[in-house]
Amino acid sequence: MTENEIKKIYELKEEGKGYYAIATLLSLSPSSVKSFLLRHPKSELEIVHHCKNCGAAISQFSDGRIKRFCSLKCHRDYWNKHRKIADRKSTYQCECEECHKVFTSYGGKRRFCSRTCFQQNESRKWGNKNG
Ligand SMILES: [Zn+2]
Ligand SMILES: [Zn+2]
């Protein structure tokens, strides 16, 4: 069952349609619509959440908390993947030549913490030359 079909099921149910009518309209089997609605009663009408790692639909906690992963394994896999991506970018601690603030630079060393500091430094250079 796709997310779209699930949304439609709830919509049609809201309109007062029965399992059989819903199933016919969506070309699904009445028994699967019925069992779906029994497992997912009206109180869970909100959007179906999918596992951020494998994309499987997740049945949510009954107390309203939102589960983002179908299993602990998916949770771990997801964060492992993302940590690796973050590690690939090396970080450098640099001191700005203009304001002398220590800042973190990604992927290479930089002389200035910001474009403003770079411009200030440039304009002073030009100012000295003119004055
Ligand atoms: Zn998963
Ligand atoms: Zn600076």
Side-chain angles (χ1 to χ4, degrees):
M1 225 178 267
T2 67
E3 195 173 334
N4 213 28
E5 282 168 344
I6 291 163
K7 266 187 220 151
K8 280 277 174 209
I9 289 176
Y10 284 128
E11 271 173 35
L12 293 166
K13 196 179 174 243
E14 284 288 283
E15 288 171 19
K17 299 256 192 314
Y19 304 134
Y20 194 81
I22 295 170
T24 313
L25 283 162
L26 300 176
S27 24
L28 297 165
S29 82
S31 63
S32 68
V33 172
K34 187 177 180 178
S35 65
F36 175 80
L37 283 171
L38 285 174
R39 272 182 288 124
H40 305 271
K42 212 178 163 190
S43 60
E44 291 179 51
L45 218 149
E46 80 278 12
I47 315 127
V48 179
H49 291 269
H50 292 268
C51 176
K52 281 164 86 78
N53 187 57
C54 72
I58 310 165
S59 51
Q60 292 299 311
F61 297 109
S62 49
D63 61 6
R65 280 182 294 155
I66 292 168
K67 242 194 265 184
R68 308 244 174 239
F69 300 94
C70 67
S71 62
L72 195 64
K73 188 190 167 294
C74 273
H75 183 262
R76 245 192 334 245
D77 281 3
Y78 181 83
W79 290 113
N80 280 343
K81 263 186 249 168
H82 279 247
R83 202 165 34 231
K84 263 175 218 148
I85 292 164
D87 285 348
R88 228 176 283 153
K89 289 188 206 140
S90 30
T91 59
Y92 297 84
Q93 292 294 313
C94 310
E95 193 189 319
C96 178
E97 288 182 23
E98 181 63 24
C99 69
H100 301 284
K101 190 174 88 179
V102 174
F103 63 99
T104 311
S105 168
Y106 299 93
K109 284 200 168 163
R110 277 163 53 204
R111 291 169 62 204
F112 303 100
C113 71
S114 63
R115 188 147 183 88
T116 316
C117 280
F118 170 75
Q119 276 163 351
Q120 245 161 45
N121 190 276
E122 285 291 293
S123 71
R124 213 188 20 245
K125 253 193 327 207
W126 288 103
N128 287 346
K129 211 180 254 178
N130 292 340

